[in-house]
Structure formats: C-alpha cells, structure tokens
Amino acid sequence: MTNHGETHQVTLRTPAELADALPYLLGYHPEDSIVLVALHDREGRGRFGGRARLGIPANPDDWPAVAQQLTRGLVTGSERRGARPESMVVYLCQEPAKGEPRHQVRERLRPLAQLLRTECGRLDVPVVEALCIADNRFWSYCCVTPDCCPDDGVPMGLPGTSVLAAAATYAGLQVRGTLSELRARFHPWETAAALEQERALDTANARLVPRILDTASRADVADETLRQAHLIRNRFADAPTVSGTLLADLRDDELLTHGEAATLILGLQDRTTRDRAAEWMEGDEAAPALRLWRALARRCVGPYREHAAAPLTLAGWVAWSTGDDLEAREALAMALGADPGYLFARLLHQACNEGLDPESIRRCLRAERGGRAHGAAGPPRTTSPVGRTGTGDAGEDTGLDDTGLDWDEDPEGFEAMERFGGTGGADRAQLIDSDGRIDGTERATPSDLAGPPSCSTSVSGATRALESATRRRRRVGPADGAETRPRAGGTGGTRPQISGRPVVRRRGADTEGAAPRRGRTKGNDA
C-alpha cells in the first residue's frame, strides 16, 4: 500500500487475515463468486498479483469447465506478462440458501474447491489456501483440524477493525458494497413508471429515428440532443447534494422527465452524438455527466434495453477517465451485456482491463472539441454505416486480433456466461490488474501512450484512439511487474464454455443485413 509516496507493507499469515483481505484485494465485497488470487515470490515472501473473479455457476455440471478455464486464464495471463504465479489463493463466496445451514455451503462447494485445486496443480501452481466464506464466517479447505477450523466456521472480524483495514484506510483504498449494489445503479426500472417511460420511448422513436436516418437532418438531431443533454447535466450539477447512493439516484430520477430521457436515449444511438457527449469526461463536467448517463441507463426499459449500451458505455468511460476502474468495468460489462457488438464498449472494456492510460483518449476528444470550437475540426465525419465487430466484420480493421483481445471478450465465448447460470447476464469473468497490492507495488503506466493518438474519423476519433492505443501496447509489450488477461483463443483463452454444447451468439456476420430493431441503425455503435 502506498500513501503520498510512502510504502506500507502488511503481512498476512493466517486464514482469518486472508479472508479479511478479500474485499481490499477486489475493492468490493464479492457475492456468489469464485475468486482466484495469484501469488508471486519476492525474497521468500508472497506478493499479491492478478485476480480473477467469476460468478459460481448454478449447475455443478459446469464446474469442471469453469475451474479449468478460470485457472488457466489467470496463469496464462500472468505468463504473457512474464510473471508466472508461484502459488494461488482460492476463495468461494456464497450465502446459504433459505433454510440451509451455513456449514452446508462449505460441503456443497467442496467439489468446486477441489476442482480448482486440481486444475492449479496441473499447471504446477499449488493452492496455498482455499477458503469458503458464507454468512460472515469462513472455513479452510486446506485444514482438517477441528480446533482451528470448527464445523460451524470461524467468525469474520468486524469490518474495519483489522490491521489491514487500518492500513487500507491510511493508503486511501476504498471498499465498496457488493457488485449487485453497484449494478443496481444502472439496472432498468421495473416499476409502474417503466410503462410511462416505454410509451415516451415509443413516441421519441417514431419522431427521431427517421430524422437520424436522413442525412439532411441527422446533424440537427445531434445538436438538439446535445443541447438538451447539456441543460440537464447543468440541472444535475445545480441540484443540492444528497447523501447515500440510493437517495442520490432517486433525486436524479426526479430531475429527468420521461420525454427528456427518451429524447436523449434515442439521440445517443448515433455514434457521432455519443462521441461528442463523451467529451464531458473531466473537471466539473464529469460528475454530473456520470449521474446523467446512469439515469438514462435506468430508463432503457422493456424492449429498449439494448439501447442502454450507449449510456452505459458513456458511464463506463467517464468512470474510467476519473479513476474509478471498478464502476467502469461493471458499466462497460453491462453495456456489452445489452449489446455484445457495441465496439466502443468492447474497446474501452479491454483498455480498462489492460491498465492502459485513458489520457490518450482524452487527448483525442479534447482535440475534436477544440477543433469544432475554432471551426477547424479537420475532415468532416463520415455518416456512412460502419459494420459491427463481433466475429470480425469484413472491411473494418478493429485492431482486435487474437494477441490482444481480452479473454473475457472473446466473440464466440461471449454468450457462454449466460449458460452457466451465475449471478446474472452482466456477471462476466473478470481479471483484475494488480493495482492496490498490499505490498505497495504500483500498476505501471505504459510509456508508449505518450504520443498523440490518431484522431481519424473514418470510424470515430475515440474509437480510433482506442485501437491505436491497444495496437501500441501489443507492439511495446507488457509493463514490468504488471498483470494481464489471457488471450482469447487457445487453451484457457476464452470465457468458460460447457464441453459439447454449441456457443450461442446473439448476432454474427451473417446477421448484418437484418432490419434494425426499434430504430437502431446498423453501424452506429462503432
């Protein structure tokens, strides 16, 4: 841990200390999760490395595939960065079902723990500890001594009372609630008001989509959308501060009418409009913009849930730009859950997971904004449709080859996660970089991003900047001491898939000619 240039080391020696460390390693409290934490040896002392998290599949038949691919994913990802783990810590976190004794959770998940230990052993990465955490207690699968590991488990310490908690607080590390609480800020309404919002979206859809598809009026729609978004963003900024995320979100919902939300949601389906809105990424603009994008994502109800990809991507971008990687990853994962072919979300999610510096994208967006302000933005943007990327669309260079694609963004494996019946469609396998390590090792910032990115607008400036950054990252290679994600393709490179079952894709290259759904225009998601 570091604080103002100082390095503070915290040594963890017991299963209780490892159990207490989990929220600080992830930045939140995991639910229904498998968590793997890589350990690297430094002068005989373990050092935390990369982490992988995945929702526990509801069907035990899926556990062998999950165990194999999750362990291989973390190990091969570390190997790509030249830092193969020496050992591993395994966590299984799940609350008891209604009426289920808590010790039964340990026994029910024991086969999964054994599968994970076996797969790690096959890779010559021994598991030094495997913990089950349930009902605020923990059990060790590596200990059989009743004195230290009773059947009823060992109570967890009170939150914030350990030495680790004190060190984390001093170092400025924040632990959120749970992922479900974070995702709830983006989930579409499921109340009676959702019906009114859907009717407003139907009205806006009929009014705006023909104008967006018409080249002569498309720019006017973009200007109208951005003017209204600017007014509402300022309205959010001027509202009194409210404590608590739930109350704050309810307050923001009250500040936004159904008609305004519908107009913005439909207007943001145009990628040029979306990219201009993405310029509200820093300074005083960022916080109210993030609140607005969250509020719009909550308004994408009923058949318009796919439209949430745009506001979710904007929310993820602003969160990443302002240093909140956790919210960024979740928002971008949910954007890909809404629309797996949304290229901007896919590139942002990959870049965020790879630990790239968002400054390269900010520079590009600043340049485009400044160019418009001085009437010298360069060549006009193209308004011709750009093909989606999913399985690799012909004619579009996306820069996502098998050497750089994040393993949990494999196009063929994308829908596999839903078939495991984990904690939800947005619960995608996560590999987390080793920032915030307990021993104070900092995440390295790639030096190759120092030069200005290309702001070519043949697809969009922001998209091209992301492609340029990921290509340069692959050419230069990994930063020293950093963790990474395994490649998509080859053993352990895709998200977990069930052996013998075909992969189900929502869309592919053969569906590009299909009629757009509810006014969504092909190619506007680049």
Side-chain angles (χ1 to χ4, degrees):
M1 293 182 180
T2 62
N3 185 65
H4 305 296
E6 299 179 27
T7 299
H8 305 275
Q9 294 189 351
V10 178
T11 302
L12 307 179
R13 296 184 176 87
T14 67
E17 292 172 334
L18 284 173
D20 181 71
L22 182 57
Y24 301 96
L25 294 174
L26 298 179
Y28 59 90
H29 296 273
E31 301 173 299
D32 292 324
S33 296
I34 306 167
V35 180
L36 301 182
V37 179
L39 295 178
H40 303 283
D41 185 76
R42 178 192 289 174
E43 299 177 354
R45 302 179 67 180
R47 172 177 59 84
F48 288 117
R51 300 103 183 178
R53 191 208 66 84
L54 179 65
I56 297 176
N59 186 352
D61 292 341
D62 300 333
W63 290 356
V66 166
Q68 181 185 69
Q69 297 194 34
L70 194 62
T71 54
R72 292 188 180 184
L74 183 54
V75 172
T76 57
S78 299
E79 288 177 333
R80 284 180 54 203
R81 291 296 181 89
R84 179 182 174 84
E86 278 77 25
S87 56
M88 198 84 72
V89 177
V90 173
Y91 297 88
L92 299 179
C93 308
Q94 192 171 73
E95 290 303 297
K98 186 176 181 180
E100 180 184 28
R102 55 193 173 203
H103 69 271
Q104 283 297 112
V105 178
R106 175 195 61 179
E107 296 306 316
R108 179 164 48 79
L109 297 180
R110 186 182 292 276
L112 177 57
Q114 187 57 42
L115 287 167
L116 291 164
R117 296 174 70 182
T118 300
E119 292 300 331
C120 287
R122 286 174 179 168
L123 298 173
D124 198 25
V125 181
V127 173
V128 296
E129 186 59 86
L131 298 176
C132 174
I133 300 176
D135 196 23
N136 205 34
R137 290 175 176 262
F138 73 88
W139 294 260
S140 171
Y141 290 114
C142 299
C143 177
V144 294
T145 305
D147 292 339
C148 64
C149 297
D151 288 341
D152 201 36
V154 179
M156 301 278 289
L158 294 175
T161 60
S162 66
V163 174
L164 177 62
T169 301
Y170 183 74
L173 298 181
Q174 180 185 8
V175 176
R176 305 286 186 85
T178 64
L179 283 184
S180 60
E181 292 170 347
L182 179 58
R183 291 169 182 159
R185 307 194 73 180
F186 299 107
H187 281 161
W189 283 355
E190 295 182 352
T191 63
L195 296 176
E196 298 179 46
Q197 183 61 63
E198 185 176 338
R199 285 193 289 269
L201 285 163
D202 286 337
T203 301
N205 185 73
R207 174 171 54 88
L208 291 177
V209 169
R211 297 181 63 203
I212 294 175
L213 296 176
D214 185 349
T215 305
S217 58
R218 188 173 184 179
D220 292 336
V221 175
D223 290 339
E224 294 165 9
T225 301
L226 291 166
R227 277 197 299 269
Q228 185 171 59
H230 183 271
L231 291 173
I232 298 171
R233 190 201 72 197
N234 289 343
R235 186 190 305 165
F236 278 30
D238 294 338
T241 303
V242 176
S243 61
T245 58
L246 177 59
L247 292 178
D249 289 344
L250 290 173
R251 186 272 317 276
D252 290 345
D253 289 337
E254 293 174 354
L255 295 173
L256 185 64
T257 69
H258 296 309
E260 289 171 337
T263 297
L264 294 183
I265 289 168
L266 269 297
L268 289 171
Q269 302 310 304
D270 173 61
R271 64 172 172 79
T272 303
T273 308
R274 178 209 64 199
D275 283 359
R276 289 176 62 183
E279 294 166 2
W280 304 335
M281 59 193 172
E282 55 190 345
D284 295 337
E285 294 177 330
L290 178 56
R291 289 163 51 196
L292 175 57
W293 308 143
R294 289 193 198 112
L296 291 180
R298 295 193 292 269
R299 301 295 187 99
C300 295
V301 298
Y304 293 91
R305 292 196 174 209
E306 185 181 80
H307 289 62
L312 284 168
T313 300
L314 288 170
W317 160 238
V318 176
W320 184 39
S321 177
T322 54
D324 191 343
D325 288 5
L326 175 58
E327 181 166 358
R329 282 193 297 265
E330 290 308 309
L332 294 169
M334 292 179 72
L336 291 171
D339 185 352
Y342 206 74
L343 176 59
F344 194 37
R346 185 177 294 272
L347 288 169
L348 283 171
H349 194 254
Q350 175 188 347
C352 181
N353 277 339
E354 288 289 346
L356 298 182
D357 188 345
E359 179 59 23
S360 61
I361 317 304
R362 287 193 293 259
R363 282 198 300 266
C364 182
L365 292 172
R366 290 189 202 111
E368 293 193 350
R369 189 177 193 176
R372 285 195 312 274
H374 293 87
R381 293 179 183 267
T382 178
T383 56
S384 59
V386 178
R388 291 181 184 274
T389 60
T391 56
D393 297 322
E396 182 180 2
D397 179 11
T398 66
L400 295 179
D401 57 26
D402 65 341
T403 64
L405 183 63
D406 185 81
W407 80 293
D408 65 353
E409 295 181 20
D410 174 44
E412 293 191 1
F414 191 88
E415 293 306 309
M417 287 313 307
E418 295 187 0
R419 293 183 283 108
F420 280 104
T423 58
D427 184 22
R428 308 175 64 223
Q430 299 175 354
L431 274 160
I432 304 169
D433 215 347
S434 51
D435 49 320
R437 291 172 180 162
I438 301 305
D439 68 349
T441 302
E442 293 290 341
R443 178 175 60 189
T445 300
S447 59
D448 57 293
L449 297 182
S454 168
C455 289
S456 167
T457 55
S458 58
V459 175
S460 78
T463 302
R464 286 299 181 189
L466 278 165
E467 292 172 350
S468 176
T470 53
R471 287 194 190 100
R472 281 180 289 180
R473 176 62 172 264
R474 288 196 293 273
R475 286 199 302 269
V476 172
D480 292 339
E483 288 299 326
T484 187
R485 283 105 215 132
R487 57 187 293 176
T491 304
T494 63
R495 57 175 357 92
Q497 300 179 23
I498 304 172
S499 301
R501 300 188 192 178
V503 174
V504 180
R505 303 180 191 173
R506 281 197 184 128
R507 55 174 65 80
D510 58 343
T511 62
E512 284 301 316
R517 233 187 87 201
R518 289 269 185 169
R520 284 295 298 275
T521 55
K522 181 180 75 174
N524 282 347
D525 57 352

